[in-house]
Amino acid sequence: MIKIERRLAQPRWLSVAVPIGSIVFSFLVMAVVLGITGHDPIHTYRRLFDAAFVSSPAWTATLMTATPLLFTGLAAAVAFRMQLFNIGAEGQLYLGAVCATGIAIWLGPHHSTALTILAMCVCGAAGASLWALIPGVLKAFARTNEIITTLMLNYVAGLLLTYLIFDSASPWRDLSTIQTRSFPQSVALQPSQFWPTLSPLDVVVPFGFLLAIGAGIALYVLFRATRFGFEMNVIGDSQRAARYSGMRTRRKILAVMAISGGIAGLGGASQVGDFSHVLDASPQGLQGAAFGYTGIVVAALARYNPVAVCLVAVLIGGLQNAGLYLQGPDFPTGLVGVLQGIILFCALGGELLIRYRIRFGRRTPAPIEAAPAREAGG
């Protein structure tokens, strides 16, 4: 007999052991999948590890892939920690990229790089925060399901991004040449507006990656050492208890949604300033990368811990980078997606072991009641 009991107390070591065990178990499951599809699991894992984490170029590509995932993972972790299911980091990242590109175009190349970076970060975060406040207000004052509203706003943000570049003569669209009028594209940032990089040990570290690490540390301090973080945890556990104790839950909902959207907006600013240097509205650009949805996977694997999000984002970024390296006629890209899906399901299954205890035992037979004796003379 298998019996599932809720844990009255959760040991701290489970918070570390279960995610690690889930990842190990997922790789064992994936080894079975690789064997069924005719791939040697040990050889495949060695190639994955070499392509993601061994050489300096591999680390450079991994950090580039991990940077937007780190921003969207932190954005999802902030909201999910208070039981606000913000599925809209994808659209909030679009709005951050739009606002950051717009202020960079308006400033032009004649201002200092530091001023341009600061303006892009502020405008990107502010624009995405306002976008995230739309479902936040609906949740706080109308009790609307934030899963639906944030998800639907992703499509609105995507259509807005397409409209600015392909269907209008907006300031974001480059109309300076006949070619750009025929084949729409965004106004490109000038080299003086590019975000800087660091190169320790020949590994190129984007400025956005360092910015995201700083945001993760700031969120960890916010959660652990401030009254705001304490109230977030209380509201996440029970909104009724929070309201009974006098906490202003509506304000916290608005604040958390604004913080979550602002972090995703920083990811959009980083995507433009660090990598693309244009507002890429093509299907192969921002909308094809699905950074926001992958960020939810990162946050779930990290159990909404900002420090763990940094580590998991690098892991998932390495897997995606290795998938691009390994893809070919003998190794379809879909196998890497299957690996990510198995990791997610194993991580979510591991949550059961943290919250509940599984007991095994034998079913005890029910006692047999004796038949009532007949009355004498009956």
Side-chain angles (χ1 to χ4, degrees), residues 164-180:
L164 291 176
I165 305 302
F166 291 97
D167 301 323
S168 68
S170 70
W172 285 265
R173 181 175 175 180
D174 187 359
L175 299 174
S176 59
T177 64
I178 297 178
Q179 182 179 3
T180 55

Side-chain angles (χ1 to χ4, degrees), residues 199-280:
S199 301
L201 302 176
D202 296 330
V203 177
V204 179
V205 181
F207 178 79
F209 182 82
L210 300 177
L211 183 63
I213 294 294
I217 295 173
L219 289 175
Y220 182 83
V221 174
L222 178 68
F223 293 157
R224 295 284 181 172
T226 65
R227 177 181 174 179
F228 184 88
F230 172 77
E231 292 184 353
M232 278 184 60
N233 295 329
V234 174
I235 295 172
D237 291 336
S238 174
Q239 285 199 18
R240 285 187 177 181
R243 285 194 295 267
Y244 183 78
S245 62
M247 296 181 185
R248 298 177 177 179
T249 57
R250 288 180 175 176
R251 290 189 180 183
K252 291 299 181 296
I253 290 173
L254 297 179
V256 169
M257 287 298 293
I259 294 173
S260 177
I263 294 174
L266 285 176
S270 168
Q271 194 64 22
V272 175
D274 276 318
F275 308 117
S276 64
H277 307 306
V278 295
L279 185 61
D280 191 353

